[in-house]
Amino acid sequence: MSEEARRNDGDNEGPLEEELEESFDAVVTEGGERLHRTVRTVLITGLFGGLEVALGVMAYLAVLDETGSHLLAGLAFGIGLVAIYLAHGELFTEDFLMPIAAIVARNGTPAQLAKLWVGTLLANLLGGWFVMWLIAHAFPQWLEVLSESAHHFVYAPLDLQSICLAVLGGSTMTLLTRMQQGTESDVARIIAAMAAGFLLAGLQLFHSVLDSLLIFGAIHAGADVSYRDWIEWFGYTVLFNIIGGVVLVTALRLVRTKELVKSERDQNSE
């Protein structure tokens, strides 16, 4: 965004504070970069994201097996989100706020968003599936906790509670992206990742990637869970993850910055 546009839309002389303008610029810039990635880059980044979040799942299972506490295990799962941040991997649900903001600002297209979403999600699942095979065979003593964790998701009825858990799962991860874009402090970003991990795994929210890895681990370990069970759960979970991230966080953020969005659209049109 140009300095003139910045003066017109904020810098403490307009309706928006300077910090919000800087954050908006960072969101649109990063979103545009993600949208313009090649298919190869999307797949590799998503594959790393699946590998890294699986480390958090491994920590989650270790603590859950020892303590039986989902809240303590949720704290351990935050390791996976920290690994994604530090190693620059990417989860599917991280791609709601920034790419959509870039599209609204006319710095990308819906076709590019579809490529990013599909490629990242498939790569997340593939990377996570492989690491969960390793984990299931490296720690056979975790069969019981894997089975119980998988049953919690695949046997949940498609009712209001399940829908709300999936909506909260998507919005929590998108809010994490928003928080990390709102600060330049690595320490603050790591704390945000740990907090999001605690909420996501500790409260057993429905998350299309994280919980798929738990289900994959149960299948690899020989639990009475099938890929059909996973697909039936996954179908509605990914839909309501998107709704939670896009409606509860992304749309409200764009409404909050509508003046900046208009200025960015006008500039890109020119």
Side-chain angles (χ1 to χ4, degrees), residues 52-107:
E52 291 148 10
V53 77
L55 297 179
V57 174
M58 181 168 62
Y60 173 86
L61 291 170
V63 175
L64 185 60
D65 183 61
E66 288 292 330
T67 68
S69 170
H70 289 284
L71 294 179
L72 290 177
L75 287 174
F77 170 73
I79 293 172
L81 298 185
V82 173
I84 289 175
Y85 167 67
L86 294 178
H88 303 288
E90 201 162 291
L91 280 184
F92 163 67
T93 45
E94 291 183 280
D95 284 327
F96 294 161
L97 173 62
M98 292 182 285
I100 290 178
I103 289 176
V104 173
R106 295 179 179 170
N107 194 17

Side-chain angles (χ1 to χ4, degrees), residues 152-171:
H152 173 76
F153 301 107
V154 299
Y155 290 159
L158 178 52
D159 55 12
L160 181 60
Q161 181 183 17
S162 295
I163 291 172
C164 290
L165 287 170
V167 169
L168 288 171
S171 63

Side-chain angles (χ1 to χ4, degrees), residues 73-219:
L75 287 174
F77 170 73
I79 293 172
L81 298 185
V82 173
I84 289 175
Y85 167 67
L86 294 178
H88 303 288
E90 201 162 291
L91 280 184
F92 163 67
T93 45
E94 291 183 280
D95 284 327
F96 294 161
L97 173 62
M98 292 182 285
I100 290 178
I103 289 176
V104 173
R106 295 179 179 170
N107 194 17
T109 66
Q112 291 173 320
L113 179 64
K115 174 193 68 178
L116 178 66
W117 279 4
V118 173
T120 303
L121 180 57
L122 291 178
N124 283 168
L125 294 175
L126 178 60
W129 182 93
F130 174 70
V131 177
M132 292 309 299
W133 184 90
L134 295 175
I135 291 173
H137 290 84
F139 302 98
Q141 66 270 27
W142 291 350
L143 169 60
E144 184 177 352
V145 294
L146 276 169
S147 179
E148 291 177 355
S149 297
H151 287 172
H152 173 76
F153 301 107
V154 299
Y155 290 159
L158 178 52
D159 55 12
L160 181 60
Q161 181 183 17
S162 295
I163 291 172
C164 290
L165 287 170
V167 169
L168 288 171
S171 63
T172 298
M173 283 302 300
T174 307
L175 182 59
L176 170 61
T177 303
R178 172 68 190 92
M179 290 190 293
Q180 290 182 329
Q181 285 293 323
T183 178
E184 296 181 356
S185 168
D186 286 336
V187 174
R189 290 174 175 176
I190 290 173
I191 292 174
M194 293 297 294
F198 170 75
L199 294 174
L200 198 64
L203 300 182
Q204 293 185 286
L205 302 181
F206 283 17
H207 186 271
S208 51
V209 176
L210 160 62
D211 303 328
S212 288
L213 268 56
L214 289 170
I215 297 169
F216 291 159
I219 293 173

Side-chain angles (χ1 to χ4, degrees), residues 216-240:
F216 291 159
I219 293 173
H220 293 321
D224 58 338
V225 179
S226 68
Y227 286 106
R228 179 176 179 178
D229 296 328
W230 166 66
I231 291 173
E232 291 176 351
W233 169 86
F234 179 81
Y236 74 82
T237 299
V238 70
L239 171 63
F240 288 108

